[in-house]
Amino acid sequence: MLAELKKRIIDGQVHEVFSVPRILVVDDEPLLRDSLRDILLQNGYEASAARNGRDALVQIARQHFDAILLDLFMPDIHGTEVLDFIAKRGLDTPVIVVSGDDSVDSVINALRGGAQDFLRKPYQPDEMLKRVGNVIQRRRLELENRSVLQQMEQSEKWHRFLVNSSPDFIYTLDCEGRFTFVNDRVESLLGYKHDELLGQHYTAVVFDDDFNQAQYVFNERRTGKRASRYVELRLKCKDCSRSNGSEGRILVVELNAIGMYEQPDNKFASRYLGTYGVAKDISERKKAEETIHYQAYHDLLTGLPNRVLFKDRLNLAIAQARRNSEMFAVMCLDMDHFKVVNDTLGHVVGDELLLAVTARLHGCLREGDTLARMGGDEFCLLLPQISGIEVVGNIAEKVTVALSKPFHIDHRELFATVSIGVSLYPADGETGDSLIKHADIALYHAKTCGRDNCQLFHMGMNVPLSNRLSLENDLRHALERNQLVAYYQPQVDLKRGHIVGFECLIRWQHPVRGLISPAEFIPLAEETGMITAIGKWMLDTACQQLKVWKTRELPPVRLAINISPRQMEQPDFVEHILAALHQHGLDQGMLEVEITENLIMKDVERTVEKLKQLSASGIKIAIDDFGTGYSSLNYLKKFPIHTIKIDQSFIADIERDGDTSIVTAIIAMAKGLHLNLIAEGVETENQLAFLRRMECDEIQGYLLSEPLTAQAATTMLIENITPLAMFAGR
């Protein structure tokens, strides 16, 4: 019989079974769609592409496909609508959902809407090809079964062959619910042989907890559209009945059942014979749904509840606390300096440290507490039903003690501390969002208080953060509203007494707060990334001023601008500076860039390369705030440095306690390396006298001049004012 069937198939009656599989790729992302189609073509498939859902509907209506790879979210027609179109047309084309969507409901609905499998983006090509191969194989089996059914439907023998070859468990029951027929599939699915089930009541294979639901479908008497369809039940495999206490294997099935009736001459007197049913194994689909559900509510690295599940439990805690007039606490924990671990040792070691910290935090919890990972190195603790603030203190102390011991990871000894912020219900908020927000604010204050400590929220904490937020918003508009102003502080040659340069300094003319010092807003600009735009504005402003002085044929002076680490990280950093000088027709020697020691040490190789390019173009390089960082003589020799600026804190020590050792050493070192030396922050005559004796090259500070407006600095150059003249002869 099988040989005859195969002959018919080969003769062309069901030739489509053995033809090259045709695959339709539906995705609105061209790159992903084309790459997916190319992979399929390279692996022997005939692949077509649809650029969106509407295009997919047109192609599906025009031709037959053996499988469809379908994206869910598309701009015109959602993937579920494509599934509905396939279902309404009665097409049996298998669909694999390929989606990066994190929504549990959309993927589960797609599976229930007819999709046979799902593949989450991003995916490995081998995994995709394996899924496609499995779907094509299943389709071929289904087509073979269907073809055999069409050829053999008049034969009982052929019919029994089809039934036994079905991938589903097919059975019939008598009026009392006992098995009268089971197909061969029952052995591979449930582990029973035919003879073991025949005559047995259906409850022998039904999971105990599903008895109530099972009695309606297994005793089904209805036919047609009213019959039971797609009822999910759990069936016990044979090993479940063992007496050794083993739970055994449970099979989840989707059951369809109809009543069977004898058809006498009088159709109104048909006799009920029993029930016919088909049980389809959906265990893998259920596992996939459970996996999706788990991933939606848990952190994949640590297995902890994620932000979504934490908020859900937090809302439940609020409802319970409100009902019972109870207090509970929310603790936000953030690991201190965790970024250093990732940057220096890599993310693999960082992940291992996170897992180790998670394990120790678990040991600090009470039964009923919830620990969640909110993202990165941030955790949240929910402490329900606390009697007072002392409970929170005890938990915080346990956490501190638990993390005080070193972690041994990858043959390294690491230490980890956390900063903790706490909010209490109902004192600090009556909603989940407000409690998390206030705990975060307290955490921010714990960070500013030196880290590795715990802070309890109070309303006074809101004020500085509100001011910071307001300042940040205003700063974002400062450039477009022309509120930034450049000031110029003279740099004077000690021997000749002439102005040889200016340092360009930025100020913020706030419409309400007045003139704001850079110490207040530059750190904020660095943190938010706005420093890049501000740095470009500063460069353009400095070049414009140099052009004004050059046009008016004033004495040539250099102009120094400060460079931030974020500016240095820009790929076009050097090109932008050179372009600005060229645009204004300036010589490169007129500009000096000031960098800090910490910037030098951040990325030595890339920094030295960029500075060498600037130096080769004639631009001067100065190290600002020298002595406060971590540079060495070796780095000073390696970098193309022209000028060292002694930090004003060391200059202040000359006046305050007479300590001149550091300044003396820096001056001697600069002379030994043949570097120009500028002492900044000179404010007294004693400091000036000492620097003269030490033959310092240049000075800058309020003793000579405060930072000047562009107009005042221009006037000083026009009138050839010598700031040191008043100290001559002293």
Side-chain angles (χ1 to χ4, degrees), residues 20 60 111 118 145 179 183 198 214 227 252 283 342 349 363 424 487-488 518 642 681:
V20 177
I60 293 170
L111 291 172
F118 79 95
N145 287 340
F179 288 107
N183 68 342
L198 294 179
V252 183
S283 300
N342 273 340
V349 174
L424 300 175
Y487 278 69
Y488 305 86
H642 304 92

Side-chain angles (χ1 to χ4, degrees), residues 305-537:
N306 62 11
R307 184 181 297 272
V308 176
L309 183 53
F310 181 81
K311 285 189 174 182
D312 184 59
R313 293 187 181 179
L314 179 56
N315 290 332
L316 290 176
I318 290 173
Q320 181 179 356
R322 185 181 293 121
R323 183 169 57 251
N324 300 328
S325 299
E326 295 173 340
M327 178 193 301
F328 70 84
V330 173
M331 299 177 68
C332 286
L333 301 84
D334 191 85
M335 294 176 62
D336 300 324
H337 306 298
F338 178 71
K339 187 176 184 298
V340 176
V341 176
N342 273 340
D343 291 346
T344 57
L345 302 180
H347 288 276
V348 174
V349 174
D351 288 348
E352 291 295 327
L353 180 59
L354 281 172
L355 289 171
V357 169
T358 299
R360 291 195 187 178
L361 291 177
H362 262 302
C364 303
L365 305 184
R366 310 167 304 161
E367 185 178 358
D369 294 344
T370 295
L371 173 64
R373 184 185 178 202
M374 307 298 275
D377 58 346
E378 183 181 354
F379 298 85
C380 265
L381 267 174
L382 174 61
L383 308 177
Q385 298 176 332
I386 62 174
S387 56
I389 190 61
E390 63 277 359
V391 176
V392 179
N394 291 337
I395 297 291
E397 184 177 357
K398 285 183 179 180
V399 169
T400 301
V401 172
L403 298 182
S404 63
K405 300 176 183 177
F407 294 88
H408 298 279
I409 297 174
D410 194 27
H411 308 294
R412 293 181 175 87
E413 187 177 68
L414 302 177
F415 290 88
T417 61
V418 293
S419 300
I420 304 174
V422 182
S423 63
L424 300 175
Y425 175 88
D428 300 328
E430 297 187 355
T431 66
D433 288 341
S434 63
L435 289 168
I436 294 175
K437 171 188 172 183
H438 291 157
D440 267 333
I441 291 174
L443 171 64
Y444 172 82
H445 280 267
K447 292 280 189 182
T448 58
C449 291
R451 306 176 188 268
D452 192 20
N453 69 94
C454 178
Q455 294 289 323
L456 183 65
F457 174 78
H458 58 79
M459 293 306 297
M461 291 180 174
N462 263 325
V463 176
L465 286 180
S466 297
N467 290 338
R468 181 187 183 281
L469 181 60
S470 175
L471 193 66
E472 179 181 337
N473 290 336
D474 290 346
L475 183 57
R476 293 188 182 276
H477 297 292
L479 274 174
E480 61 187 58
R481 295 173 180 173
N482 297 319
Q483 294 174 359
L484 298 182
V485 182
Y487 278 69
Y488 305 86
Q489 189 169 36
Q491 296 170 336
V492 178
D493 187 314
L494 261 180
K495 292 181 179 179
R496 296 180 299 162
H498 296 152
I499 297 175
V500 291
F502 288 90
E503 180 179 2
C504 188
L505 303 169
I506 192 170
R507 299 291 186 268
W508 179 9
Q509 188 64 54
H510 194 280
V512 176
R513 304 171 188 240
L515 200 63
I516 300 179
S517 165
E520 294 185 51
F521 68 88
I522 289 298
L524 181 60
E526 289 275 9
E527 182 180 339
T528 58
M530 288 185 282
I531 191 65
T532 303
I534 292 175
K536 289 181 178 180
W537 175 89

Side-chain angles (χ1 to χ4, degrees), residues 649-678:
S649 61
F650 301 129
I651 302 300
D653 289 341
I654 298 173
E655 186 73 23
R656 185 168 50 248
D657 50 23
D659 185 2
T660 62
S661 56
I662 294 179
V663 177
T664 301
I666 294 175
I667 293 175
M669 179 188 65
K671 289 182 177 180
L673 295 174
H674 305 290
L675 298 175
N676 185 42
L677 187 68
I678 301 177

Side-chain angles (χ1 to χ4, degrees), residues 69 75 216 229-230 268 375 378 457 491 546 616 683:
L69 297 176
Y216 295 104
R229 296 175 61 85
Y230 309 118
F268 297 103
E378 183 181 354
F457 174 78
Q491 296 170 336
L546 281 172
E683 298 183 354

Side-chain angles (χ1 to χ4, degrees), residues 139-204:
R139 172 169 172 75
R140 284 185 170 178
L141 290 174
E142 291 172 358
L143 289 176
E144 288 177 7
N145 287 340
R146 186 183 310 159
S147 299
V148 171
L149 178 60
Q150 293 171 353
Q151 297 296 322
M152 305 179 179
E153 62 180 347
Q154 302 301 321
S155 170
E156 176 62 27
K157 180 181 178 181
W158 291 357
H159 176 71
R160 185 173 293 274
F161 171 79
L162 287 174
V163 170
N164 286 330
S165 300
S166 171
D168 302 328
F169 168 35
I170 300 175
Y171 66 89
T172 60
L173 302 173
D174 61 17
C175 299
E176 296 178 354
R178 300 183 183 278
F179 288 107
T180 56
F181 170 81
V182 292
N183 68 342
D184 292 344
R185 182 62 168 154
V186 70
E187 184 171 352
S188 58
L189 282 180
L190 299 179
Y192 291 95
K193 294 186 179 299
H194 296 80
D195 296 342
E196 291 179 293
L197 280 186
L198 294 179
Q200 293 286 330
H201 196 266
Y202 69 82
T203 52

